[in-house]
Amino acid sequence: MCIRLKAVLVIADGMADRPLKELDWKTPLEAAHKPSLNHIAKTGVCGIMDPISPGLPPGSDTATLALLGYNALKAYSGRGAFEAIGSGVNVLPGDVAFRCNFATVDNNLVVLDRRAGRISNEDASKLAESLQKIKLTKHSNAVFLFKNTIQHRAALVIRGPKLSTAVSDSDPEKIGEKVSEIKPLDESLEARLTAEILNELMQKFREVLKQHPVNKERIKHGLPPANIILSRGAGTIPNIKPLSQKYGISATCIGATPLIRGVCKAAGMKLIHVKGATGTPQTDLMAKAKATVQALKTNDFVLLHVKATDVASHDGNIKQKIELIEKIDSMLGYVLNNIDLGTTYLAVTADHTTSSITKNHEGDPVPIAITGPYVRRDDVEEYDERTCAEGGLNRIRGVDLMPILMNLIGKTKKFGA
Amino acid sequence: MCIRLKAVLVIADGMADRPLKELDWKTPLEAAHKPSLNHIAKTGVCGIMDPISPGLPPGSDTATLALLGYNALKAYSGRGAFEAIGSGVNVLPGDVAFRCNFATVDNNLVVLDRRAGRISNEDASKLAESLQKIKLTKHSNAVFLFKNTIQHRAALVIRGPKLSTAVSDSDPEKIGEKVSEIKPLDESLEARLTAEILNELMQKFREVLKQHPVNKERIKHGLPPANIILSRGAGTIPNIKPLSQKYGISATCIGATPLIRGVCKAAGMKLIHVKGATGTPQTDLMAKAKATVQALKTNDFVLLHVKATDVASHDGNIKQKIELIEKIDSMLGYVLNNIDLGTTYLAVTADHTTSSITKNHEGDPVPIAITGPYVRRDDVEEYDERTCAEGGLNRIRGVDLMPILMNLIGKTKKFGA
């Protein structure tokens, strides 16, 4: 066939939810006004999908790896490297990378706010600039790169001989708990050395932050000071085959979140910067829709990722989650109106369920709908967790999605004769 | 239980399809008149099935391996050996076998017709007889067996010390492209030797075919001459446990296609020759139905394979595909009327989707229905790709089908206590 078929995959982070008492036992998706999502369900084939496997709550990184067709259980090499490469920090083989938070602790190192009041990008940049000037003295063989990304988020890369990812997190991941000393997680020399380097660095970070004018200013304005860096998710760059090799496609990612950008970069995808796309509930989804339509002109596959729904869920903000689903719906309306549905497949899903009650990622399946020229349209007319379960895809796994899409656009190879 | 339960598995090659504009967005199965298929769906349990895995377009060989309960990804050892043993050519361990085509090329070895006008069995037999007389001179340690099977299809087996399957195909698999020289695909001595033997053989085949009276006669009658042999799919006999050992059953295959007969033979099944069963759209399906009923008297399991639906799909002949589905339906009517449904399970499926538009195998799932005394009958009343998706089997994989059938007839062993 000489027609070039294309596919768009829209991932709304944590959009799936559980039925909520506050919504008369509807889910936010069920409660939202969503004509475009319903149109996709009605003209498409629907189902539910376990991002990794039934009951397993995935991270956004592992889920996105799976949704791009990789065996996440094998390929995942820790969050840190994704976060770093997604923020434009170069991670080389042998480097160990960490996801970091600017956070607020009291004098006894007890965590008061894990996100330092969701510190602004501006304040975080000034602090990061000062931190990057620090020199390691006890372990002068090693160097580090530190970069703030969005709000309280940052990436740290340690580079040097004999490093290991077998080190514990300093982030206790709970308010009211004390910041942990970083410990080697095995008996190796490498793990001990890496833990020592990190502890030296965290101590020096703390000293600089405590005295920093930005924090003095924050305290003056009643804002929690970003007086510590919490680290977690030691990782190396994963050894995965790029999508171009796997399927012979040109692929682009439109997403603001460094973690997701990192996964996509590891998969060999191009990354597009969209002005106004911030990964926050204030993100400009229409700008992303336009960028998606544009990117489709020169790519076989475009991944459009929206972080905001997950942020609302982690905050337990049900009203905001519904509003964001409705904003996503408008974004999809633009995409539907501006792509050629005679040659383009459009799939919409979430990377995982995030419960607005537990405020955590959960292992419940997510809805999936695929519309496009030759799908086996089913009877489903509404896009939500329960109605999609009645659809023609039945129940698939995240790792199946990419082969299904690539099959529809003629990019899978026959196995056998 | 002292009643001997039995199972029939009917595989209609490439019967599943996608919705077609030409059929008002129905699939050929949805458009066909098929009372018997619907009866099986109505009295049975239905579902959809990924022959290998979602999105992966299977060959008929890999799909049939999977449908017989083998892990095709592990067990598959190339098409050639199946084709050869299915044609009655003996393949021994160490032999390398190839699927071949009689084809038509111009003087520059550019392929004009990959099937030499779907040459008749009669003409192909005469040509094959002459080819078999050729002697290898440069590599006199090796011998070969060449046998035509159906129409343009043939099998070639190379026997000798130090052979390898790591050789490329001479068949470019596209009209208008030049026939390829056969090359070793790795650095081994064996691969180089095998490529040399094949190139010598292909050269000698070409010389004999060019001068052959059958081809002179064909040209006189305006038919494309079969003036070259194209080879592909180097393979060895697979190392799989026969069904008799796996499940303790006696099993028979009723199918005309050498490739399928070969897979069944490799699985230790008996092969029945049915007069009038040709693997073409003109095949005598009623004769196959009668043979199936007969074979059931002395076997626990009978596989009834119909190739014709796939042929129609590869030709993009939608009308013929529908007619063939209706012929299969009549065939199933005979089977239903002549087996004891109190003791026999009957399953009907396709080995893969073949799109009448792309004319290729596709990775979309296939419908499956199983009727018989103790199935959990569901609400599905029609046998097609979309309605079956609403059935009680939900979505299974090809490799699950045989254990499901063997469980129904009491041939699976308890795992655990």
Side-chain angles (χ1 to χ4, degrees):
Chain A
M1 218 195 296
C2 37
I3 300 164
R4 192 165 168 193
L5 298 169
K6 292 162 182 235
V8 184
L9 170 59
V10 179
I11 302 177
D13 206 310
M15 177 168 68
D17 209 315
R18 292 174 174 170
L20 302 172
K21 196 179 171 189
E22 292 79 354
L23 299 176
D24 201 13
W25 299 109
K26 287 184 179 174
T27 68
L29 257 176
E30 287 168 344
H33 176 69
K34 47 177 194 328
S36 296
L37 280 162
N38 289 348
H39 177 81
I40 293 162
K42 199 168 175 174
T43 58
V45 60
C46 303
I48 50 173
M49 181 167 74
D50 297 293
I52 310 273
S53 60
L56 183 75
S60 287
D61 45 6
T62 54
T64 305
L65 264 179
L67 268 53
L68 288 174
Y70 299 100
N71 178 340
L73 296 172
K74 278 192 184 170
Y76 189 59
S77 54
R79 166 180 203 152
F82 292 129
E83 197 90 32
I85 61 174
S87 325
V89 178
N90 197 15
V91 183
L92 305 176
D95 291 356
V96 178
F98 300 83
R99 160 65 199 266
C100 294
N101 270 24
F102 287 94
T104 310
V105 289
D106 68 12
N107 287 334
N108 298 317
L109 295 181
V110 170
V111 177
L112 302 175
D113 186 337
R114 280 189 64 246
R115 301 184 177 102
R118 287 200 184 271
I119 184 172
S120 70
N121 291 349
E122 206 190 342
D123 279 3
S125 292
K126 285 181 200 154
L127 295 172
E129 207 178 312
S130 302
L131 297 182
Q132 185 61 72
K133 289 179 185 151
I134 290 169
K135 298 279 170 234
L136 282 161
T137 47
K138 282 188 222 152
H139 300 91
S140 52
N141 266 350
V143 293
F144 76 94
L145 304 164
F146 183 89
K147 192 177 171 184
N148 65 304
T149 61
I150 295 178
Q151 296 177 331
H152 55 281
R153 302 175 187 94
L156 170 67
V157 176
I158 311 283
R159 184 168 297 161
K162 301 200 173 199
L163 298 177
S164 165
T165 56
V167 290
S168 64
D169 301 339
S170 79
D171 187 347
E173 298 212 47
K174 255 194 191 157
I175 288 170
E177 291 200 7
K178 208 175 160 185
V179 173
S180 321
E181 194 193 349
I182 293 159
K183 290 184 183 126
L185 295 176
D186 64 29
E187 306 283 300
S188 69
L189 190 74
E190 287 82 356
R192 213 174 62 213
L193 179 68
T194 311
E196 279 174 15
I197 292 172
L198 280 165
N199 283 322
E200 179 190 349
L201 202 55
M202 292 304 159
Q203 180 56 34
K204 289 191 164 160
F205 281 172
R206 170 101 175 106
E207 284 157 19
V208 169
L209 291 171
K210 260 165 80 174
Q211 312 296 332
H212 203 283
V214 164
N215 276 328
K216 289 185 176 157
E217 203 63 22
R218 288 181 68 80
I219 292 166
K220 205 188 287 173
H221 289 89
L223 293 169
N227 58 11
I228 200 161
I229 298 297
L230 301 177
S231 71
R232 65 187 198 273
T236 56
I237 47 168
N239 181 17
I240 56 177
K241 209 192 245 188
L243 293 182
S244 57
Q245 271 180 42
K246 236 181 141 184
Y247 299 110
I249 55 168
S250 53
T252 284
C253 160
I254 292 172
T257 321
L259 184 62
I260 303 302
R261 291 171 71 84
V263 172
C264 289
K265 195 164 183 186
M269 297 172 76
K270 293 187 286 287
L271 305 179
I272 289 185
H273 277 278
V274 176
K275 214 186 147 206
T278 55
T280 69
Q282 292 71 43
T283 187
D284 186 348
L285 293 185
M286 249 343 155
K288 289 174 102 161
K290 285 174 189 165
T292 300
V293 171
Q294 200 58 33
L296 256 189
K297 291 181 185 162
T298 51
N299 285 276
D300 301 302
F301 176 69
V302 178
L303 169 62
L304 168 51
H305 181 269
V306 178
K307 176 72 185 165
T309 30
D310 193 48
V311 177
S313 317
H314 281 295
D315 291 343
N317 191 337
I318 300 168
K319 187 165 163 282
Q320 190 183 49
K321 185 165 184 175
I322 294 173
E323 284 165 6
L324 284 164
I325 291 170
E326 293 176 348
K327 272 178 80 178
I328 289 172
D329 194 80
S330 303
M331 174 191 83
L332 289 170
Y334 180 90
V335 173
L336 282 169
N337 285 330
N338 289 280
I339 59 175
D340 177 3
L341 281 165
T343 56
T344 310
Y345 289 86
L346 172 62
V348 183
T349 192
D351 58 347
H352 50 75
T353 293
T354 307
S355 161
S356 296
I357 298 305
T358 67
K359 301 179 190 176
N360 282 328
H361 294 196
E362 300 294 350
D364 310 52
V366 298
I368 164 82
I370 310 172
T371 191
Y374 289 101
V375 294
R376 293 177 180 160
R377 194 182 284 200
D378 57 33
D379 295 335
V380 171
E381 303 206 342
E382 285 181 45
Y383 184 94
D384 58 59
E385 297 85 347
R386 284 187 271 215
T387 317
C388 282
E390 297 165 16
L393 287 172
N394 290 17
R395 186 172 188 147
I396 59 172
R397 296 206 179 194
V399 75
D400 300 327
L401 180 59
M402 198 66 181
I404 288 172
L405 290 176
M406 292 301 103
N407 172 58
L408 286 168
I409 69 167
K411 292 291 184 184
T412 42
K413 280 201 194 87
K414 185 165 72 171
F415 168 55
Chain B
M1 218 192 301
C2 39
I3 300 164
R4 192 164 169 195
L5 297 169
K6 293 163 181 234
V8 183
L9 171 59
V10 178
I11 301 177
D13 207 310
M15 177 168 67
D17 209 316
R18 289 174 176 171
L20 303 171
K21 199 179 169 189
E22 293 77 355
L23 299 176
D24 202 15
W25 299 108
K26 287 182 177 173
T27 67
L29 256 176
E30 287 168 345
H33 176 69
K34 45 177 194 327
S36 297
L37 280 162
N38 289 349
H39 177 81
I40 293 163
K42 200 168 173 171
T43 59
V45 60
C46 301
I48 50 174
M49 181 167 76
D50 296 295
I52 311 272
S53 61
L56 183 74
S60 287
D61 45 7
T62 53
T64 306
L65 264 179
L67 268 54
L68 288 175
Y70 300 101
N71 178 341
L73 296 171
K74 278 193 184 169
Y76 189 60
S77 54
R79 166 181 201 152
F82 292 130
E83 197 90 33
I85 60 173
S87 325
V89 177
N90 197 15
V91 183
L92 305 175
D95 290 357
V96 178
F98 300 83
R99 159 64 197 268
C100 294
N101 270 24
F102 286 94
T104 310
V105 289
D106 68 13
N107 287 332
N108 298 318
L109 295 182
V110 169
V111 177
L112 302 175
D113 185 336
R114 281 188 64 245
R115 299 182 178 103
R118 287 200 185 269
I119 185 171
S120 69
N121 291 349
E122 205 189 340
D123 280 2
S125 292
K126 285 181 200 153
L127 295 171
E129 206 179 312
S130 301
L131 297 181
Q132 184 61 72
K133 288 177 187 152
I134 290 168
K135 297 280 168 236
L136 284 161
T137 48
K138 282 189 220 150
H139 300 92
S140 53
N141 267 348
V143 293
F144 76 94
L145 305 164
F146 183 87
K147 193 178 171 184
N148 65 301
T149 60
I150 293 176
Q151 297 178 329
H152 56 278
R153 303 175 186 94
L156 169 67
V157 176
I158 312 282
R159 184 168 297 160
K162 300 199 175 202
L163 298 177
S164 165
T165 56
V167 289
S168 65
D169 301 339
S170 79
D171 188 347
E173 299 213 43
K174 255 194 189 155
I175 288 169
E177 292 202 4
K178 208 176 159 183
V179 174
S180 320
E181 193 194 348
I182 294 159
K183 289 184 185 129
L185 295 176
D186 64 30
E187 306 283 300
S188 69
L189 190 74
E190 287 81 356
R192 213 173 63 213
L193 179 69
T194 311
E196 279 175 14
I197 292 173
L198 280 165
N199 283 321
E200 181 191 348
L201 202 54
M202 292 302 158
Q203 180 57 32
K204 291 192 163 161
F205 282 172
R206 170 102 175 105
E207 285 156 19
V208 169
L209 291 171
K210 260 166 82 173
Q211 312 297 334
H212 203 282
V214 163
N215 276 328
K216 290 186 176 159
E217 202 63 25
R218 288 180 68 80
I219 291 167
K220 205 188 285 173
H221 290 90
L223 294 169
N227 58 11
I228 200 159
I229 299 297
L230 302 177
S231 70
R232 65 187 198 272
T236 56
I237 48 168
N239 182 18
I240 56 177
K241 209 193 247 187
L243 293 181
S244 57
Q245 272 181 41
K246 236 182 141 184
Y247 299 111
I249 55 168
S250 53
T252 284
C253 160
I254 292 172
T257 320
L259 184 63
I260 303 303
R261 292 171 70 85
V263 172
C264 290
K265 196 164 181 184
M269 297 172 76
K270 292 186 287 289
L271 305 179
I272 288 185
H273 276 279
V274 176
K275 216 186 147 206
T278 56
T280 70
Q282 291 72 42
T283 188
D284 185 349
L285 293 185
M286 249 345 158
K288 290 173 101 162
K290 285 174 190 165
T292 300
V293 170
Q294 201 57 34
L296 256 189
K297 291 181 184 161
T298 51
N299 285 277
D300 300 301
F301 175 70
V302 178
L303 169 62
L304 167 50
H305 181 270
V306 179
K307 176 72 184 165
T309 31
D310 193 49
V311 177
S313 318
H314 282 295
D315 290 344
N317 191 336
I318 299 169
K319 188 167 161 282
Q320 190 183 52
K321 185 164 184 176
I322 294 174
E323 284 165 10
L324 284 164
I325 291 169
E326 293 176 349
K327 272 178 79 177
I328 289 171
D329 194 80
S330 304
M331 175 191 83
L332 290 169
Y334 180 90
V335 174
L336 282 169
N337 284 330
N338 288 278
I339 59 176
D340 177 3
L341 281 165
T343 57
T344 311
Y345 289 86
L346 172 61
V348 183
T349 191
D351 59 346
H352 50 76
T353 292
T354 305
S355 162
S356 296
I357 299 304
T358 67
K359 301 178 188 174
N360 284 327
H361 294 194
E362 300 293 351
D364 309 53
V366 297
I368 163 82
I370 309 173
T371 189
Y374 289 101
V375 294
R376 294 179 183 162
R377 195 181 282 202
D378 57 35
D379 294 336
V380 172
E381 303 207 340
E382 286 181 43
Y383 184 92
D384 60 59
E385 297 86 348
R386 285 188 269 215
T387 318
C388 282
E390 296 165 18
L393 286 174
N394 291 16
R395 185 171 189 149
I396 60 171
R397 296 207 177 192
V399 74
D400 300 327
L401 179 60
M402 198 65 182
I404 288 172
L405 291 176
M406 292 302 102
N407 171 56
L408 286 168
I409 68 167
K411 292 290 185 185
T412 41
K413 283 202 193 86
K414 185 165 71 172
F415 169 57

